[in-house]
Amino acid sequence: MRALALPDFLRPGASGPPAQQPGGGFRLMRYVVVTSVIALVFFVLLMYFTEHLEESFFAEMQRDQLTFFEEAQHGFMREHDQTRQAEILKVHEAGNVNLAHVFANMLWTQTLSPFVQKAQAVPIEHCRALAATQAAAPMPAEPQACFAKVRQALMALPRFAQIDATVRATMRGSSVFKIKVFDTRGLTVYSSENAQVGEDKAANQGWKTAAGGQTASELTHRERFSAFEGVVEDRDLISSYIPIRGEGREVVGVFEIYADATPFLKASDEASALMAQRIADNRTTASLSARKNMDHITVNNAYAQTISAALFALFYAALLVIVFNGQRILDQHVLAHEQSSERERLWYREKMTALATMAANVSHEVGNPLATISALAQDMQGEQRPHDGSRCRPSMILEQTDRIAHMTRQIVNFATLRDQGPEPVDVNQMVLAACDFLGFDHRFRAVQIETRLAGNLPARVVTPDHLSEALMVILQRCLEKSLQSPAAQQRLLVATREEDQAVRIRVDFEAPPKPPASGRKSALPDHLFKLAQRRVHEMGGTLLSGRTMVEISLPAAHAADAGHRS
């Protein structure tokens, strides 16, 4: 059966009596300590993992920042190296161009231009043809010999010695190591390194670029190099192919100038090394700062955890004091409640004892006269002759004596003293005795009590006084409510049955209209119904109630032997 909400006039108290709970009551201190310890363990674990994740996150963030810083610095260094070489090449190229313009202004018109015109008269096509036919040979001898004759022819020209002397005198002590002059065919008509005079550079990309009107430069490192001052070693050189333009802005020749960039590159390398060292020092400083910050965070976390632990311990101690006082007050209430319940049990026991004594006295004092009257009536009935005109009615006397004897037995059956401990009882008999006893109450004469007791109902091991007390309280309450019903005929139905291996006692009654929230209170105090509820729980049963019904369920776990039947 589904448990229904109790109406206002049958509102129960606690779900079970305190006497059933261990230690005489609810162990608040124990549950609070266990729960708080479990919560504390989870809280400590959560704090530990939170702090660990925070420190890991901060350390990872610092590593990422250091990595980004290092990569950025290395990127700056790469860009610096590329830029410095490009700038050095650009600066020296500008210097070479200026130097070429100076040479052109000084020597081209009067000296170099006539010399280049005569040099172009020296034929080189047959040498190129030989070089083209013998290109597959590792060291073609005939083209080399041919170009060697061209070199001799060029150096034999009248102005060659003058030009060579002028160039060497002009460039002595400078950073220019070599100067070459090419005609428009790509032939080296002059070189400060005379062994290179007569070389064919028509296939050289630098000469092609200069012949097209653009300056071309490159930075090279030479282990050995022939300069004006002799052979130099381990030098960084910038070679520039510079176009020479005539009066009509057409290209009439090409200069190739080799300038020494070693001091500039060395100074740039030293600056780059110093910058790299500064970057390494900055990275070391940043790493030390990150480690110091991490240590500071760890110390702060330890301080915070210590303070949190101290505050938590303080709050926990205050909580324990409050809970201890609450447990003490709760135990006092439980003890007072148990003592009240014990007084109620003693009061009911004394009441039933007095009632049983009175019933025994009544049965004895009334039973003996009734037996005498019944015997005399029977004698009168036996001696009465048929068709006698006498008005004596012995049968009526016997009927009334039987009625009085039956009422006496009902009172005796209800008030009979029993043991205070659990014992197998006939549930139907106890229900019927309670209903019959309440039938004597003149207050409930207007209510018809109807019983529907199931046959062959199994006995239950209960405390008889408890069951009797609970039945009396519930029946009185239901009878009072039936009297308040507007129905023409008030009726109370008491039924027993066996369902789901449990013996159920159900009371259905006529309920009055539900009063408003501010209506008058019920005639019976709530604590009486709570008393009935406690009695049922003490027997291991349950009490369900609705607006027009109340039901007691006694489970099979408290049944007597299976063979014991009512």
Side-chain angles (χ1 to χ4, degrees), residues 458-493:
R460 283 294 180 263
V461 178
V462 297
T463 303
D465 285 349
H466 290 180
L467 182 57
S468 176
E469 188 177 5
L471 286 173
M472 289 294 294
V473 171
I474 293 172
L475 290 174
Q476 288 179 11
R477 189 55 174 241
C478 294
L479 285 169
E480 289 175 356
K481 290 303 169 181
S482 294
L483 290 173
Q484 299 174 11
S485 173
Q489 181 180 4
Q490 290 85 5
R491 185 174 66 93
L492 188 70
L493 175 60

Side-chain angles (χ1 to χ4, degrees), residues 331-349:
D331 290 341
Q332 291 175 354
H333 281 288
V334 169
L335 180 59
H337 191 73
E338 291 178 349
Q339 291 174 350
S340 176
S341 298
E342 183 63 25
R343 286 194 298 269
E344 290 175 352
R345 285 194 292 269
L346 292 176
W347 172 82
Y348 183 77
R349 182 68 178 173

Side-chain angles (χ1 to χ4, degrees), residues 373-394:
I373 294 172
S374 178
L376 292 175
Q378 289 176 1
D379 290 342
M380 291 173 59
Q381 188 177 20
E383 294 177 357
Q384 187 178 13
R385 294 188 297 272
H387 309 290
D388 189 356
S390 176
R391 296 177 61 87
C392 182
R393 296 178 182 178

Side-chain angles (χ1 to χ4, degrees), residues 6-11 477 514-516 522 526:
L6 292 177
D8 295 337
F9 74 97
L10 289 178
R11 183 73 63 183
R477 189 55 174 241
K514 189 175 182 180
S522 59
D526 287 344

Side-chain angles (χ1 to χ4, degrees), residues 49 66 102 120 141 195 213 269 352-353 430 442 507 520 556 558:
F49 284 113
L66 290 176
V102 169
Q120 286 182 340
D269 290 341
M352 294 303 295
T353 301
M430 294 196 66
H442 66 89
V507 181
R520 66 179 182 88
H558 297 271

Side-chain angles (χ1 to χ4, degrees), residues 45 159 194 196 331 555:
L45 292 177
R159 293 181 179 271
N194 296 152
Q196 293 180 347
D331 290 341

Side-chain angles (χ1 to χ4, degrees), residues 247-269:
E247 295 180 358
R249 305 303 298 169
E250 75 279 3
V251 177
V252 296
V254 173
F255 273 147
E256 181 182 9
I257 299 177
Y258 285 84
D260 185 17
T262 302
F264 297 95
L265 286 176
K266 184 178 180 181
S268 178
D269 290 341

